Amino acid sequence: MNPTLTALPDAIDHELLGRLRVPTYDDVLAAAQRIAPYVRHTPLLRSPRLDALAGGPVWLKPENLQITGSFKARGAFNALLNLDADARERGVVAYSTGNHGQAIAWAAHTLDIPATIVMPVDAPRNKVEKAERHGARVVRYDRTRESREEIGMRLLAETGATLVPPGDHPDVLAAQGTLAVEALRDLPAEALANLGLFATPCGGGGMIAGCSLAVRALAPQARLVAAEPAGFDDTVRSLASGKREQNAPDARTLCDALQAATPAELPYAINGRCLAGAVAVSDAEVGAAIRYALEELRLVVEPGGAVVLAALLAGRIDTHGRDSVVVLSGGNIDLPLLARLAQPQ
């Protein structure tokens, strides 16, 4: 685990950028208008104690309060709303550790689109049940022996459906940036001018990539920082090496939502040139952040949603005394796990 910020490498994969359709800030604005009737405009929250601990004003963006309990609802609705009538009739396929699949299931149910979700056998039960409750077909797989991408491709061939991946999709990525547009527009003018940090959890990298499009347009002086769980610190290592790094197949973490094998290709094309750095946190630090959110903020945050808060509380991210926006990306935690983590350590 690397406890320090990783500097942005000089090497950027321009060839990769050239062959991908990379969304723009205009795409983020279009997504914001498109999905507005379907998602929740989450507020900004403050805690005097957290400000004191961080050494500067911290503005929390609680996407755990979002429809379906995570920011993933944004990308899911934008991608499905952009499908034509024929594609909607054939349906969609998504692969997900939980939150993206649940969001696709809900968006598909709302828009009357058939949906199949490929989820690992160790996905949290509550996330699987909610996807099924929304009417989606769930196909399970063993992430240690099987490829979700290969399963998804097979399902596409069988059904003629459209694949909506969690990160490598320009419509999904652009819509994830809408949370940054909301946050930055909601900041007081003096806080926006003084904004020094915008930080989000990171799995495949789609959220921080989408948010970077908005942050660079509205607050270009702010550092963009990603936080990951130890063992799944592929963005930390990728920024250091200048290429997409893999995580160990046997890696484990409480943060089920952030268990990407490697940075997603499209997000990394943006993150490789936009992020100021990335940090990794331990499961113990994540557990402490979940307890802090319960006790001090009165918020239920899942492990993957709490990694930036964990990094802030552990001193792995420095605010330099300036205003910061910190994203709490989800709140879909199994109750038995929440009960265990809530116990004093």
Side-chain angles (χ1 to χ4, degrees):
M1 180 175 63
N2 186 346
T4 60
L5 285 180
T6 305
L8 184 69
D10 293 331
I12 295 173
D13 194 341
H14 294 284
E15 180 183 352
L16 179 61
L17 285 173
R19 61 184 172 84
L20 294 174
R21 182 170 77 82
V22 180
T24 66
Y25 178 54
D26 286 341
D27 293 318
V28 177
L29 295 180
Q33 184 174 20
R34 191 177 297 117
I35 68 176
Y38 302 97
V39 303
R40 182 172 294 149
H41 183 132
T42 54
L44 288 178
L45 304 178
R46 289 280 298 281
S47 162
R49 186 179 179 195
L50 184 59
D51 288 354
L53 287 172
V58 176
W59 303 83
L60 297 167
K61 181 66 167 170
E63 286 290 291
N64 54 309
L65 303 180
Q66 184 54 260
I67 301 296
T68 75
S70 87
F71 76 101
K72 293 286 190 178
R74 298 173 182 272
F77 270 104
N78 195 45
L80 269 57
L81 286 166
N82 272 336
L83 295 176
D84 62 29
D86 288 343
R88 291 190 184 197
E89 186 174 345
R90 291 192 301 272
V92 295
V93 171
Y95 43 78
S96 167
T97 55
N99 284 334
H100 176 64
Q102 183 180 327
I104 289 290
W106 172 243
H109 173 77
T110 303
L111 301 173
D112 196 25
I113 298 172
T116 300
I117 313 299
V118 181
M119 302 179 75
V121 294
D122 59 345
R125 183 178 60 185
N126 65 324
K127 295 181 180 180
V128 176
E129 289 176 350
K130 287 178 181 178
E132 292 176 331
R133 192 183 309 156
H134 298 323
R137 171 194 177 197
V138 175
V139 175
R140 310 300 293 275
Y141 75 101
D142 184 339
R143 73 168 88 221
T144 64
R145 298 185 297 104
E146 299 176 285
S147 166
R148 66 183 188 178
E149 289 81 2
E150 291 178 1
I151 295 171
M153 291 301 107
R154 185 169 66 247
L155 290 169
L156 292 181
E158 294 172 358
T159 64
T162 298
L163 177 67
V164 185
D168 276 325
H169 194 299
D171 292 336
V172 171
L173 192 153
Q176 314 306 30
T178 63
L179 73 90
V181 172
E182 289 179 5
L184 298 181
R185 286 178 173 174
D186 287 348
L187 282 175
E190 62 274 16
L192 181 61
N194 189 52
L195 189 68
L197 172 71
F198 192 103
T200 82
C202 183
M207 175 168 44
I208 189 69
C211 287
S212 73
L213 302 175
V215 173
R216 293 185 74 185
L218 300 176
Q221 79 285 356
R223 292 176 298 134
L224 286 149
V225 174
E228 301 175 296
F232 289 86
D233 58 344
D234 44 292
T235 295
V236 171
R237 291 180 287 108
S238 296
L239 293 181
S241 69
K243 62 181 182 179
R244 292 162 67 218
E245 299 287 351
Q246 297 277 337
N247 293 315
D250 59 349
R252 296 291 182 269
T253 177
L254 285 176
C255 304
D256 61 276
L258 304 181
Q259 295 184 68
T262 187
E265 191 174 32
L266 177 55
Y268 181 70
I270 296 173
N271 293 336
R273 58 176 175 165
C274 292
L275 296 193
V279 296
V281 292
S282 68
D283 279 357
E285 289 164 341
V286 169
I290 290 172
R291 288 189 296 277
Y292 185 91
L294 278 172
E295 295 173 355
E296 300 296 334
L297 307 175
R298 301 299 184 261
L299 292 173
V300 174
V301 185
E302 67 181 281
V307 289
V308 180
L309 180 60
L312 198 64
L313 295 173
R316 298 183 187 279
I317 296 178
D318 191 342
T319 68
H320 302 300
R322 300 178 67 180
D323 286 79
S324 302
V325 171
V326 167
V327 178
L328 306 174
S329 59
N332 294 315
I333 183 171
D334 265 337
L335 290 181
L337 175 61
L338 178 62
R340 177 165 66 84
L341 293 177
Q343 297 301 313
Q345 302 296 303

